[in-house]
Amino acid sequence: MYIPRKVLTNRDLEALVDTDDAWIQTRTGIRERHIAADNETASTMGIEAGRRALAVAALAPEEIELVIAATSTTEHIFPSCASLAQHGLGARNAAAFDVNAACSGFVHALVIGGQFVTTGAYKKVLIIGTEVYSRILDWHDRSTCVLFGDGAGAVVLEARKGSPGPFSFVLGSDGARADLIYAPGVCGAPNVTSVNGQHWLHMNGREVYKFAVKTVCDAVLQAVAAAGLRIEDIDFFIPHQANDRIIKAVARNLGLPDDKVFSNVDRYGNTSSASIPIALCEAVEQGRLKDGDNLAMVGFGSGLSWGAVVMRWAPRLNDE
Ligand code: UT7
């Protein structure tokens, strides 16, 4: 993972908009978030996260055959963030493309990468989730600017010998509710400019909240069943880090105890498609996600879109 250095606390936000630390903490669980420096972008942060993931996997960049970047805030419409990362990392044998499914982008990218690995088309795939929502927020809108933060995370998927663990997924979209959370694009949308903030993010928080709690539970249960497991078989659960109240409600509805559920939204806010790989990285570093665990992850957000995946967390290949 790569997290920009600058921290923006709830107290800092009190000076920007009519809000207070107690409201933000009670409604969201967020205490602080990180904000990219002027010279940082989705691709620069993604490259750094990718570099660290390759180091953890003990792989040379030339061994990677595909780079997928999940992002909705990259600096260009084209070239893709993944192409910039492929070059920045020196992954000169890799193909590269982006996936944009907003906050569920990482799960979509993971599922796509998983298809290449399970078919044997590619053996080593780098998946990056990277976002700079600070650049599309209206810093005068208290209902959205307190919620998001910047950051990046990355994982390497590798084919392995032996019996595969479960790898099931559920992806979904309800484009009829596209208006609940959107950010107009300055390049493609008619008459939209960044000068007067027309590109800022808009969200109906209450409706997205209701969608999140219901759809996330259904998607996780479907993915667990598709893996031939029961919810009790899930050892660890990493939901998209949007709001601690959503995380707790989902865990309660699924009947998952607190010690199986990961949350770090208090320190990073909602980093969109970077939230799950950042959480995954911290869960491993903290020893909470263990080798052999059945892992469930779920993302949800603009589209509306959602994605749940169930897989076994296996030891690194060089540890075997
Ligand atoms: O990544 C996926 C995308 N996003 C999400 O998952 C977000 C999902 N939604 C949420 O997390 C919650 O709906 C929010 C945290 C956005 C809002 O919480 P809420 O409990 O649904 O509050 P609300 O929007 O119903 O607003 C309650 C009150 C309103 O005042 P009135 O109308 O009751 O007088 C708001 O104006 O809180 C007010 N409010 C604030 N007050 C202080 C809204 N934002 C703030 C704020 N500080 N930052």
Side-chain angles (χ1 to χ4, degrees):
M1 60 190 261
Y2 173 81
I3 304 293
R5 196 181 289 264
K6 183 180 172 192
V7 175
L8 188 71
T9 65
N10 292 350
R11 293 255 180 250
D12 296 331
L13 284 165
E14 289 176 2
L16 292 179
V17 285
D18 179 18
T19 191
D20 59 86
D21 177 48
W23 189 96
I24 302 172
Q25 285 214 42
T26 316
R27 301 288 177 128
T28 72
I30 300 168
R31 288 188 291 115
E32 59 189 35
R33 70 288 292 143
H34 291 246
I35 304 295
D38 288 347
N39 63 350
E40 287 180 315
T41 63
S43 68
T44 67
M45 295 194 301
I47 289 168
E48 192 48 41
R51 203 187 311 280
R52 294 175 188 184
L54 290 177
V56 170
L59 288 178
E62 297 81 8
E63 293 179 83
I64 296 295
E65 296 163 281
L66 175 64
V67 178
I68 309 178
T71 182
S72 46
T73 49
T74 187
E75 56 265 47
H76 309 293
I77 295 285
F78 52 81
S80 69
C81 180
S83 289
L84 300 179
Q86 175 262 328
H87 172 67
L89 290 164
R92 56 189 165 82
N93 299 312
F97 59 82
D98 286 356
V99 167
N100 179 355
C103 296
S104 44
F106 178 77
V107 171
H108 282 72
L110 187 68
V111 168
I112 295 167
Q115 303 309 300
F116 284 99
V117 172
T118 50
T119 60
Y122 293 131
K123 292 192 171 52
K124 295 177 174 62
V125 176
L126 178 68
I127 317 272
I128 297 170
T130 180
E131 302 281 12
V132 272
Y133 268 48
S134 62
R135 304 239 162 90
I136 58 162
L137 292 174
D138 177 356
W139 288 99
H140 303 289
D141 176 9
R142 67 177 184 173
S143 70
T144 52
C145 76
V146 305
L147 302 174
F148 296 90
D150 301 336
V155 299
V156 176
L157 290 180
E158 278 187 87
R160 56 188 300 138
K161 294 200 180 75
S163 61
F167 185 77
S168 69
F169 61 87
V170 169
L171 303 178
S173 169
D174 180 6
R177 290 194 281 172
D179 60 330
L180 292 186
I181 172 166
Y182 66 95
V186 262
C187 300
N191 307 322
V192 173
T193 72
S194 58
V195 180
N196 57 6
Q198 287 170 310
H199 66 298
W200 285 333
L201 177 150
H202 299 266
M203 181 172 72
N204 179 334
R206 204 172 283 185
E207 287 305 312
V208 175
Y209 189 102
K210 285 193 259 176
F211 147 75
V213 175
K214 167 90 176 80
T215 306
V216 163
C217 292
D218 291 349
V220 172
L221 290 174
Q222 287 163 14
V224 169
L229 300 173
R230 297 162 306 160
I231 193 72
E232 308 85 271
D233 300 321
I234 296 300
D235 301 299
F236 204 67
F237 177 50
I238 300 183
H240 168 47
Q241 305 287 306
N243 182 329
D244 206 46
R245 276 162 63 214
I246 296 177
I247 295 172
K248 288 205 166 68
V250 167
R252 193 172 53 243
N253 290 352
L254 290 172
L256 289 171
D258 288 352
D259 63 332
K260 287 187 175 182
V261 181
F262 193 80
S263 174
N264 61 8
V265 71
D266 59 325
R267 284 174 295 120
Y268 303 119
N270 180 346
T271 57
S272 188
S273 62
S275 91
I276 292 177
I278 290 171
L280 189 53
C281 184
E282 289 202 330
V284 173
E285 284 175 355
Q286 293 168 15
R288 292 195 51 198
L289 177 60
K290 296 176 212 63
D291 293 345
D293 275 356
N294 288 322
L295 168 66
M297 298 181 275
V298 66
F300 56 90
S302 175
L304 296 176
S305 64
W306 60 95
V309 62
V310 171
M311 62 195 301
R312 177 135 332 126
W313 187 255
R316 298 207 312 263
L317 289 176
N318 52 338
D319 291 344
E320 288 184 322

